[in-house]
Amino acid sequence: MDFCSLIRTFAFVMIQRLHYIIISLASNINHEANLEAARQQITQLLTEVRFTRAIYTEPVNSLRKEPYLNQLCEGTTALGPELLSEVLKELEKRQGRTHNEDGIVTLDLDLMQYDDQRYHLRDWERSYIKDLINEL
């Protein structure tokens, strides 16, 4: 059993209530492969999973000039928001994400919404979020 399946199974045993979530996915290097790997892992982690199309955007406050490939995902989970965020950060690390100063973002997975609670409030104002949210 892989890591995500184990977490998902544990969560369903411990808590039966499912929570609606939205996750943003982004990468500015090896875009397609990194988002595909993330989609595969997220599909194992969540239930009722749906992804928007992926779109390229210009970087904001980044040292690098390469565009980002961005996508949104919605689904349900029995995990709490803190544990879900930890699992997302672990998925980033497994995909090669480091938090250094070079501006390379192999994979960025952010919990944007958990039930009625929104996170990363400034990101909700970005045009790509406003565009993609209508696809969910």
Side-chain angles (χ1 to χ4, degrees):
M1 182 177 288
D2 67 13
F3 175 73
C4 289
S5 296
L6 181 63
I7 293 293
R8 188 172 165 195
T9 301
F10 175 76
F12 277 105
V13 169
M14 298 303 292
I15 305 169
Q16 292 300 311
R17 182 167 183 256
L18 293 178
H19 303 276
Y20 175 78
I21 58 99
I22 297 174
I23 297 170
S24 69
L25 298 78
S27 176
N28 72 355
I29 189 167
N30 201 12
H31 309 95
E32 297 287 342
N34 286 325
L35 286 194
E36 177 58 29
R39 286 190 296 267
Q40 289 176 7
Q41 293 295 310
I42 289 170
T43 299
Q44 293 178 24
L45 179 65
L46 306 177
T47 55
E48 302 177 45
V49 182
R50 287 188 7 188
F51 293 93
T52 65
R53 64 190 159 95
I55 60 173
Y56 284 95
T57 61
E58 294 301 314
V60 176
N61 300 326
S62 177
L63 297 174
R64 300 181 70 86
K65 300 300 179 204
E66 294 88 347
Y68 279 80
L69 186 59
N70 296 279
Q71 188 171 37
L72 295 180
C73 166
E74 72 176 349
T76 57
T77 185
L79 298 176
E82 294 83 14
L83 181 55
L84 178 58
S85 292
E86 287 178 30
V87 170
L88 294 176
K89 296 310 164 196
E90 178 62 28
L91 294 178
E92 289 178 355
K93 287 180 197 172
R94 289 176 178 221
Q95 197 63 29
R97 174 82 189 261
T98 60
H99 291 278
N100 52 25
E101 301 299 320
D102 63 6
I104 294 174
V105 179
T106 308
L107 183 62
D108 186 26
L109 301 173
D110 289 327
L111 178 61
M112 298 294 292
Q113 185 170 328
Y114 186 93
D115 288 333
D116 294 329
Q117 178 67 45
R118 284 189 169 183
Y119 301 94
H120 302 278
L121 298 179
R122 285 187 284 167
D123 290 346
W124 284 93
E125 298 303 315
R126 296 181 190 234
S127 60
Y128 76 91
I129 297 283
K130 290 179 179 182
D131 290 343
L132 294 177
I133 199 73
N134 294 321
E135 296 181 19
L136 297 177

